[in-house]
């Protein structure tokens, strides 16, 4: 019987999934898909590893929650893989708090800890946990592993962990956690395997997708990062604002009478590229647009990277490599070009021809004389989760 690992990333109204075959030496993604519109009009889609759609349908009936959606997915997998067995489920969990430094097998005490962190990330954590609870209820014999976006940053020096707020608030958990850790961990691992000569040096990774952040790594470990208490901080994103003077929030509350829900909607959903352009959160659309506001949004996006890059170089005390990843970082030669132009003062010399012709693949894009290597490394958070899950399952045996 063929063995598989199911990787889940559960959001508020969607569950993304990847099925990995583990018969080869390394996990191989064989099916990817998602259930969207949970709670409204759920739609299920699955593709094989050549991107062919193998199932696509609106789910009839009152499939209202994550549990029912996951039940449908597991039933579908059992029919679709008649000679296969899901031997474990790995979950992306956004928050592991200040003390969890690596992936963990799910048990009741862990669930209690993760529940207690929900107030820190109310928009994400409950959905991640709903996925875990759903599997525990309907397929209780399948072991589950939780992998965290925060864990990779637990190596950051204590001094980077703070805001300038009273110590009591720090002790209560108001601190800089950092996110996108599974992506950074994957890239650190790829660098160790493919570019060992720079993997342990001073590296900044720019994860530029819908969510955007940068991570400074020294010796392959995170030493600082742009997202902090929440996934709002740092760079400008698709719909999130990035760094913001907290005085703006006080003003909006006092003068515009905005409440928490309105602020949350503004900061998470209506700001960023979308908010500035008034057109779209999609970088491709903005770059193709002739509207001046689209141009301003893209210019500000690049400027914020310039500022944060300088700040992280200062934190590292130098720079040996700059790595681009995620949707924009892997695909947009123009954004990479602009970021590298801004970073020329650091000794960054981009090979424009290599940059233009790169098609979303691992490559070094800098000129030989560049004192900073510029790399594109496509990220794969799901594979990272599958690897962790497999390792923990084997360790358990
Ligand atoms: P998520 O954070 O949701 O995983 P992705 O990493 O897929 O998102 O990144 C989505 C972003 O990547 C969108 O802004 C999209 O416009 C952008 N993107 C994808 N391809 C290109 C491209 N060829 N040029 C510019 N931006 C691109």
């Amino acid at each position: 019987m063929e063995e598989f690992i199911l990787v889940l990333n559960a959001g508020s109204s969607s569950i993304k999934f990847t099925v990995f075959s583990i018969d080869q030496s390394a996990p191989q993604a064989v099916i990817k898909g998602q259930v969207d519109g949970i709670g409204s009009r759920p739609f299920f889609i699955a593709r094989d590893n050549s991107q062919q759609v193998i199932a696509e349908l609106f789910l009839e009936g009152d499939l209202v929650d994550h549990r029912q959606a996951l039940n449908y997915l597991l039933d579908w997998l059992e029919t679709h893989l008649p000679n296969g067995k899901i031997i474990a489920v790995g979950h992306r969990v956004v928050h592991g708090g200040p003390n969890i430094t690596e992936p963990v097998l799910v048990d009741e005490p862990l669930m209690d800890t993760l529940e207690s962190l929900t107030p820190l990330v109310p928009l994400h954590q409950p959905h991640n946990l709903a996925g875990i609870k759903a599997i525990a209820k309907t397929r209780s014999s399948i072991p589950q592993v939780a992998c965290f976006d925060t864990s990779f940053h637990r190596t950051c020096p204590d001094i980077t962990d703070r805001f300038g707020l009273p110590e009591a608030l720090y002790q209560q958990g108001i601190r800089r956690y950092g996110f996108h850790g599974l992506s950074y961990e994957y890239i650190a691992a790829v660098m160790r395997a493919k570019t060992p000569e720079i993997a342990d040096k001073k590296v900044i990774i720019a994860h530029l997708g819908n969510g955007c952040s940068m991570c400074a790594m020294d010796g392959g470990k995170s030493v600082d990062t742009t997202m902090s208490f929440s996934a709002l901080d740092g760079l400008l994103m698709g719909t999130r604002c990035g760094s913001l003077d907290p005085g703006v929030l006080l003003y909006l509350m006092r003068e515009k009478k905005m409440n928490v829900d309105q602020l949350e909607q503004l900061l998470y959903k209506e700001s960023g590229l979308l908010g500035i352009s008034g057109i779209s959160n999609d970088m491709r659309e903005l770059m193709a647009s002739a509207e001046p506001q689209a141009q301003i949004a893209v210019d500000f996006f690049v400027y914020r990277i310039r500022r944060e890059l300088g700040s992280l170089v200062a934190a590292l005390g130098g720079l040996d490599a700059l790595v681009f990843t995620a949707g924009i970082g892997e695909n947009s030669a123009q954004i990479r070009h602009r970021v590298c132009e801004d970073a020329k003062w650091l000794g960054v010399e981009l090979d424009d021809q290599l940059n233009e012709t790169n098609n979303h693949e691992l490559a070094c894009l800098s000129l030989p004389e560049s004192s900073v290597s510029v790399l594109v490394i496509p990220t794969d958070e799901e594979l990272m989760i599958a690897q962790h899950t497999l390792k923990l399952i084997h360790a358990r045996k």
Side-chain angles (χ1 to χ4, degrees):
M1 183 163 267
E2 205 179 342
E3 296 191 327
F4 297 94
I5 283 179
L6 173 64
V7 169
L8 295 177
N9 182 358
S12 57
S13 62
S14 72
I15 298 173
K16 293 185 183 147
F17 68 91
T18 310
V19 179
F20 287 86
S21 159
I22 54 166
D23 284 1
Q24 313 293 323
S25 58
Q28 300 279 331
V30 289
I31 305 173
K32 258 181 197 286
Q34 58 193 71
V35 188
D36 275 325
I38 298 171
S40 51
R41 199 171 174 222
F43 182 71
F44 176 81
I45 186 162
R47 291 187 166 85
D48 65 15
N49 53 4
S50 55
Q51 298 297 318
Q52 294 297 315
V53 174
I54 49 175
E56 187 177 24
L57 73 161
F58 281 103
L59 303 175
E60 300 302 334
D62 52 355
L63 189 122
V64 288
D65 59 18
H66 287 70
R67 172 132 69 102
Q68 289 166 329
L70 274 173
N71 246 336
Y72 178 85
L73 168 62
L74 289 163
D75 287 347
W76 181 83
L77 285 173
E78 278 157 14
T79 11
H80 192 78
L81 305 167
N83 298 318
K85 183 173 180 229
I86 304 287
I87 59 149
V89 180
H91 296 263
R92 180 177 183 177
V93 178
V94 70
H95 219 304
N99 302 321
I100 300 183
T101 57
E102 51 191 24
V104 234
L105 272 164
V106 172
D107 59 12
E108 276 192 26
L110 176 77
M111 286 304 279
D112 292 344
T113 306
L114 300 184
E115 295 270 12
S116 76
L117 297 168
T118 292
L120 298 177
V121 262
L123 299 184
H124 295 97
Q125 195 89 339
H127 309 298
N128 302 157
L129 300 188
I132 299 180
K133 285 185 213 159
I135 304 268
K137 193 108 186 164
T138 59
R139 304 290 199 281
S140 59
S141 60
I142 303 182
Q144 304 193 69
V145 171
C147 302
F148 304 94
D149 273 318
T150 48
S151 315
F152 187 68
H153 302 295
R154 302 284 56 79
T155 51
C156 290
D158 286 351
I159 200 72
T160 68
D161 205 27
R162 289 169 183 278
F163 298 110
L165 291 168
E167 181 65 14
L169 290 175
Y170 176 76
Q171 296 302 339
Q172 289 164 34
I174 315 286
R175 47 172 92 185
R176 303 185 74 250
Y177 294 98
F179 298 92
H180 283 145
L182 292 160
S183 173
Y184 295 131
E185 187 186 4
Y186 175 80
I187 293 197
V190 171
M191 290 185 78
R192 267 197 306 280
K194 306 277 186 189
T195 58
E197 66 289 357
I198 40 177
D200 279 332
K201 293 189 172 172
K202 296 179 191 302
V203 176
I204 292 178
I205 304 169
H207 177 113
L208 309 176
N210 267 317
C212 299
S213 74
M214 292 205 285
C215 176
M217 291 194 320
D218 204 349
K221 295 195 160 45
S222 174
V223 295
D224 208 344
T225 187
T226 56
M227 279 181 176
S228 65
F229 177 73
S230 74
L232 285 172
D233 206 0
L235 301 177
L236 189 77
M237 307 178 215
T239 59
R240 287 174 250 160
C241 58
S243 297
L244 182 71
D245 176 353
V248 173
L249 302 182
L250 299 178
Y251 175 86
L252 292 175
M253 289 162 80
R254 189 178 293 120
E255 298 299 323
K256 304 285 180 191
K257 310 292 178 223
M258 289 180 83
N259 62 30
V260 174
D261 292 339
Q262 290 167 323
L263 284 175
E264 203 161 69
Q265 174 73 11
L266 173 76
L267 302 177
Y268 279 94
K269 305 269 191 232
E270 297 170 357
S271 298
L273 292 170
L274 173 67
I276 294 179
S277 68
I279 296 170
S280 172
N281 64 332
D282 190 309
M283 184 56 93
R284 279 166 298 197
E285 241 179 273
L286 297 180
M287 292 174 79
S289 168
E291 292 296 322
Q293 278 306 121
Q295 182 71 49
I296 291 171
V298 177
D299 288 352
F300 187 59
F301 180 85
V302 173
Y303 181 68
R304 290 291 304 125
I305 296 172
R306 175 186 182 134
R307 283 279 307 267
E308 295 290 343
L309 181 67
S311 165
L312 290 178
V313 171
L316 280 170
L319 184 64
D320 298 300
L322 173 61
V323 182
F324 289 96
T325 195
I328 299 171
E330 291 165 25
N331 294 298
S332 176
Q334 199 185 126
I335 296 290
R336 289 195 300 257
H337 170 82
R338 291 185 62 178
V339 170
C340 289
E341 277 295 300
D342 284 351
K344 268 200 156 157
W345 64 281
L346 290 164
V348 172
E349 296 285 346
L350 187 69
D351 183 324
D352 275 313
Q353 202 178 345
L354 284 180
N355 183 44
E356 285 297 332
T357 50
N358 183 274
N359 185 19
H360 182 84
E361 60 212 13
L362 191 151
C364 177
L365 304 180
S366 41
L367 290 166
E369 62 268 31
S370 182
S371 52
V372 176
S373 304
V374 178
L375 305 171
V376 174
I377 303 181
T379 194
D380 196 338
E381 290 148 302
E382 285 76 22
L383 178 57
M384 197 72 244
I385 296 171
Q387 287 171 349
H388 280 308
T389 303
L390 193 57
K391 200 167 139 197
L392 282 178
I393 296 302
H394 282 155
R396 202 178 72 127
K397 281 178 183 161

